[in-house]
Amino acid sequence: MSGRKRFVLSVMTVAGLLTLGVVVAPTASASVERDETPVRSGSPVSTVVETVVRVKIPLPASAGARPAACDWLSYLRYRHRDGPAESSAADKILVAQPGVLEGAGAFDAVARNTIVSAAAQGRHIEFWALDRRSNCLEDNRGVQAALAARNAKVAVDYYYRGTPVSGQRFAGYLGNDQVEFLQHVGLEQTVRDQFDLLVAELPEQRLRKQKVVCGGHSLGGILTAFFASWDFDGDAGTRADAGFNQCSGYFALDSQISTSLPDIAGSAQMMPAGMMPDPGLSFALVQAGLRTGVIPRALSAPAVINAETMNVLTLAGLAALVAPRAQSTLVDDLGRTPTSTPPCGCCCPRTCSPSSPEARRPATSG
């Protein structure tokens, strides 16, 4: 792939996420590349410090070609400004897996409020909001430029008009054949990423067992249950690597800590039996489907939910943020897009010509 970042809704099919695994050895914590950058926030909870932490923990070579950014794991680190600078000195560290259609930012409010509530009780805790590895495929350049300019049309022009930002043009939404490596980023890789990240950031297992509290929202509760039951070194005779020995406790937000997928909803009435697939019945079939591309490697339901849909939602939030009292012009600015229009020669006739990047972009998003 080229060095240009592209946007993809990096949520695998539920069956794929819960069946596909890659056997890799635990990552050593020595000499791990790491960077931590302050995050500017408009939150009124100003006593909480937010940073984005990136740790280089590459996928195994067997995963195949992927962007360099996908060999890094990242999370949002929240802590109280009066608390210790080192995570190891915090009273507790809450580590959260996001739900199906979420990223780390979904935890912003709960992270800040929980930290402030704990501080009022004399305890300084941290909240680590995890981004799953596949978030590396997002191209947020247009959104960031629009935020800096306080003008949502800057983002619209970047994603829909071929207007460059910092010399880079939007490369389009990724198709199924462009994210082949995602077939290797399933359940095992997801929980192993959490384990490797914890080992890299908190090398002492005894400290992890004492201070880390594991949990998540929605699908994150299910992932947490699998994490807790995982044998990361593959040796049943050793316990220090066991998932349950990385956590001192558990929490679930709109979910349960359970390896039963229907428990996401919390009740049989909300999620009747048979509505969710049982991936254990078709493990080989799902693997074959992902390998051949018959089963989508990323969620892509045209005009319902796909990469473009999620990006448009981001643009709507962006427009509300930068101009909260203005009448929205987003619908007119976007014109007819691949998400709302069947495939055609040019899916945004009001804004593009047959030779423009919009006309050449695939009609369905990856």
Side-chain angles (χ1 to χ4, degrees):
M1 295 182 64
S2 71
R4 294 177 296 176
K5 294 178 66 179
R6 303 179 182 181
F7 194 98
V8 63
L9 177 57
S10 49
V11 180
M12 296 183 63
T13 60
V14 173
L17 183 59
L18 294 184
T19 62
L20 187 64
V22 177
V23 177
V24 293
T27 300
S29 60
S31 66
V32 173
E33 291 185 56
R34 179 188 191 276
D35 60 59
E36 183 167 4
T37 308
V39 175
R40 294 180 59 185
S41 172
S43 171
V45 186
S46 58
T47 56
V48 173
V49 177
E50 178 186 359
T51 55
V52 58
V53 179
R54 298 171 66 249
V55 182
K56 189 172 185 180
I57 301 178
L59 282 167
S62 59
R66 66 271 183 186
C70 297
D71 277 335
W72 291 73
L73 298 176
S74 66
Y75 67 96
L76 294 178
R77 179 190 176 201
Y78 297 87
R79 62 184 180 86
H80 200 276
R81 67 184 181 190
D82 297 331
E86 295 296 326
S87 299
S88 58
D91 291 307
K92 289 289 182 181
I93 303 168
L94 279 64
V95 178
Q97 281 276 4
V100 175
L101 301 179
E102 294 178 331
F107 291 108
D108 188 83
V110 70
R112 293 176 184 276
N113 291 333
T114 302
I115 288 170
V116 169
S117 296
Q121 300 174 35
R123 295 171 62 82
H124 289 305
I125 68 172
E126 293 197 7
F127 195 110
W128 294 2
L130 305 181
D131 243 354
R132 281 193 281 275
R133 188 184 289 270
S134 49
N135 286 93
C136 63
L137 296 171
E138 294 173 346
D139 180 354
N140 294 314
R141 188 179 287 107
V143 172
Q144 292 167 348
L147 279 171
R150 306 298 294 179
N151 185 351
K153 289 188 177 180
V154 171
V156 172
D157 288 344
Y158 177 70
Y159 295 112
Y160 288 92
R161 310 283 188 272
T163 303
V165 168
S166 301
Q168 297 291 324
R169 294 180 185 273
F170 180 52
Y173 298 99
L174 290 171
N176 196 46
D177 60 336
Q178 297 169 295
V179 291
E180 187 173 349
F181 81 96
L182 281 186
Q183 68 185 331
H184 300 293
V185 184
L187 173 61
E188 178 167 359
Q189 189 63 57
T190 297
V191 296
R192 189 173 293 279
D193 282 348
Q194 181 173 345
F195 175 77
D196 287 348
L197 184 64
L198 286 173
V199 171
E201 293 290 85
L202 302 167
E204 188 179 342
Q205 183 270 329
R206 187 177 302 179
L207 180 69
R208 298 196 297 272
K209 178 62 175 175
Q210 175 188 358
K211 294 194 174 184
V212 172
V213 183
C214 303
H217 170 253
S218 191
L219 181 64
I222 306 300
L223 291 174
T224 298
F226 277 105
F227 176 84
S229 60
W230 212 269
D231 180 7
F232 285 98
D233 71 355
D235 183 353
T238 60
R239 294 295 185 90
D241 65 289
F244 59 80
N245 272 327
Q246 316 309 312
C247 313
S248 64
Y250 303 90
F251 65 94
L253 305 172
D254 298 324
S255 185
Q256 295 187 39
I257 306 299
S258 168
T259 56
S260 174
L261 194 58
D263 284 345
I264 290 178
S267 74
Q269 290 72 35
M270 291 179 64
M271 187 68 68
M275 284 192 64
M276 299 299 290
D278 182 353
L281 297 177
S282 55
F283 179 77
L285 182 61
V286 169
Q287 283 191 312
L290 287 167
R291 191 164 51 248
T292 60
V294 173
I295 294 178
R297 298 169 182 131
L299 189 59
S300 182
V304 179
I305 189 165
N306 51 49
E308 186 182 9
T309 301
M310 301 304 290
N311 203 27
V312 169
L313 292 174
T314 299
L315 296 182
L318 170 67
L321 177 65
V322 300
R325 292 179 175 82
Q327 181 173 341
S328 175
T329 61
L330 184 61
V331 172
D332 290 333
D333 291 339
L334 291 178
R336 300 175 68 197
T337 75
T339 289
S340 61
T341 310
C344 57
C346 181
C347 293
C348 40
R350 282 185 284 175
T351 58
C352 69
S353 65
S355 61
S356 72
E358 289 81 359
R360 297 193 300 272
R361 190 163 56 229
T364 54
S365 308

